[in-house]
Amino acid sequence: MQGNGEDRDNDDAVRAADFASPFDRPEWFDLLEAHGFAAGGRFDAGGSAGAATVRLPLRIEAPGHLAGLTNWYSFAIRPLWSPGGDRGAALADLFRALRARAARLSLYPVRDGEQDEIIAALRAVGWWVKAAPAGDRHWLDLGDMDHDAWWAGRPGALRSTVQRKAKKGIVAIEILTAFDAAAWAAYEAVYAASWKPEEGDPALLRAFAEMEGTRGTLRMGIARIGEATVAAQFWTVEDGTAFIHKLAHVEDSLKASPGTLLSAALFRHVIEIDGVKRVDFGTGDDAYKRDWMNRHDPLWRIEAFNLSRATAWEPALKAFARSLLRKDK
């Protein structure tokens, strides 16, 4: 297979596949709140219809403006349903109740394939909605492939790099499945020495890693040259999916390709040992992600306005004007 094998025209069933995520759990939202990402206040919206219930953790962005409780570490925000029942009716009930509280609702990032149900429920109860792609998501859908079949489909340059650099034996790889304070300190040191911008909230990220370690879902990769740690990655696994949260390497170690070797080792681990069927590389359209993944979706920003409130008119007009400008380009 030539190229990177990415498919931009994913079928709806795959794109809308429902799987658990660390960003769906109450503990994640509690962590965001504890670290100040709901400084204006938190509001957990809820709705129901018969046996179906749904909730949506939100923060108060400004008076009359609610937004999804997320930050830059979040891969996605979505309504969280109980099993069974009429999901659409429950979601409409949630958004109907929000009209009594807010003039505006902002949700981002919303995964492709999940936006339509949200938009339909908002419109059904009277919200004026503008939605547009905003950013990207690369992910791996293994389907029936095992590790070797997936690896055979990766670009030849990537496979050659891994084969040549691994054969030299310069880089030692360690994969941890529990939180280790020394390994985390090594990750923070590598990140500080890498090309990455300053970490947004290192205390939150460590608390998240500790939480995932307790749950048994953490996968931490460390690459060393001699005694020096030169690359580190933080992943988690659950419900058949591996989530790649953070990765970094030291710039002056690039000739040995420690980051590439570490990624290859972690992919092998989560596919062969953890048995995942999906790998999610989070938000962002970084070119290197395409070498590892075979799926590429847009992420969506949903802006909803309650035009029964005068305070919604000005931001709604601005949103409408922006949409016209996008159409002209």
Side-chain angles (χ1 to χ4, degrees):
M1 181 185 295
Q2 301 297 314
N4 62 14
E6 269 205 349
D7 178 6
R8 290 173 178 264
D9 298 318
N10 306 332
D11 61 274
D12 290 339
V14 170
R15 279 186 290 139
D18 198 21
F19 55 87
S21 159
F23 307 107
D24 292 342
R25 290 199 306 276
E27 295 85 355
W28 170 249
F29 299 108
D30 292 344
L31 196 61
L32 290 181
E33 183 180 18
H35 284 261
F37 290 96
R42 176 177 172 179
F43 176 66
D44 288 349
S48 62
T53 62
V54 62
R55 63 185 180 86
L56 182 61
L58 303 170
R59 66 171 182 264
I60 299 172
E61 192 80 354
H65 182 187
L66 296 173
L69 183 51
T70 62
N71 74 348
W72 51 81
Y73 298 127
S74 303
F75 284 19
I77 183 75
R78 61 180 174 180
L80 306 173
W81 283 276
S82 63
D86 188 337
R87 288 169 40 136
L91 190 56
D93 182 62
L94 183 153
F95 290 139
R96 184 182 298 109
L98 280 185
R99 279 174 55 85
R101 299 185 62 97
R104 181 180 178 184
L105 174 66
S106 302
L107 297 175
Y108 177 82
V110 176
R111 280 195 294 254
D112 198 42
E114 297 182 341
Q115 80 279 11
D116 290 340
E117 189 171 32
I118 296 170
I119 293 168
L122 283 163
R123 288 176 173 161
V125 295
W127 291 84
W128 186 76
V129 181
K130 296 302 295 182
D136 298 86
R137 167 184 174 237
H138 291 268
W139 61 290
L140 171 63
D141 172 26
L142 281 161
D144 294 329
M145 290 187 292
D146 61 11
H147 171 273
D148 291 347
W150 161 75
W151 185 241
R154 297 304 85 213
L158 175 64
R159 290 184 284 114
S160 176
T161 295
V162 171
Q163 183 178 16
R164 287 185 293 105
K165 302 294 182 172
K167 188 179 295 185
K168 291 182 177 181
I170 296 172
V171 179
I173 302 293
E174 180 183 13
I175 296 176
L176 299 92
T177 58
F179 183 84
D180 180 86
W184 191 259
Y187 157 75
E188 290 183 328
V190 168
Y191 192 95
S194 75
W195 79 102
K196 298 278 189 175
E198 183 178 349
E199 185 63 80
D201 194 321
L204 184 153
L205 193 66
R206 176 176 176 138
F208 177 46
E210 290 175 336
M211 181 173 71
E212 295 300 296
T214 300
R215 297 182 67 243
T217 59
L218 179 142
R219 301 294 179 266
M220 190 86 187
I222 299 291
R224 297 182 178 90
I225 297 178
E227 297 299 315
T229 301
V230 292
Q233 299 187 16
F234 166 34
W235 297 31
T236 61
V237 293
E238 66 180 278
D239 196 22
T241 302
F243 299 86
I244 305 176
H245 300 283
K246 301 295 289 187
L247 68 170
H249 60 257
V250 177
E251 287 293 295
D252 62 9
S253 67
L254 283 176
K255 288 184 179 179
S257 301
T260 302
L261 292 175
L262 185 54
S263 291
L266 278 161
F267 270 93
R268 180 179 289 278
H269 183 99
V270 300
I271 294 170
E272 292 191 343
I273 297 177
D274 295 312
V276 304
K277 291 298 182 183
R278 297 168 294 270
V279 181
D280 194 331
F281 225 137
T283 62
D285 195 23
D286 309 86
Y288 68 86
K289 295 180 179 180
R290 303 171 192 174
D291 289 345
W292 302 92
M293 303 306 187
N294 62 7
R295 300 281 184 172
H296 179 206
D297 298 334
L299 292 165
W300 289 78
R301 183 183 302 278
I302 298 174
E303 296 284 351
F305 303 92
N306 177 6
L307 297 183
S308 67
R309 296 192 173 205
T311 54
W313 299 350
E314 182 178 352
L317 284 172
K318 289 180 178 179
F320 180 68
R322 286 194 298 270
S323 68
L324 290 179
L325 287 172
R326 282 194 295 269
K327 290 177 181 178
D328 288 342
K329 290 182 179 180

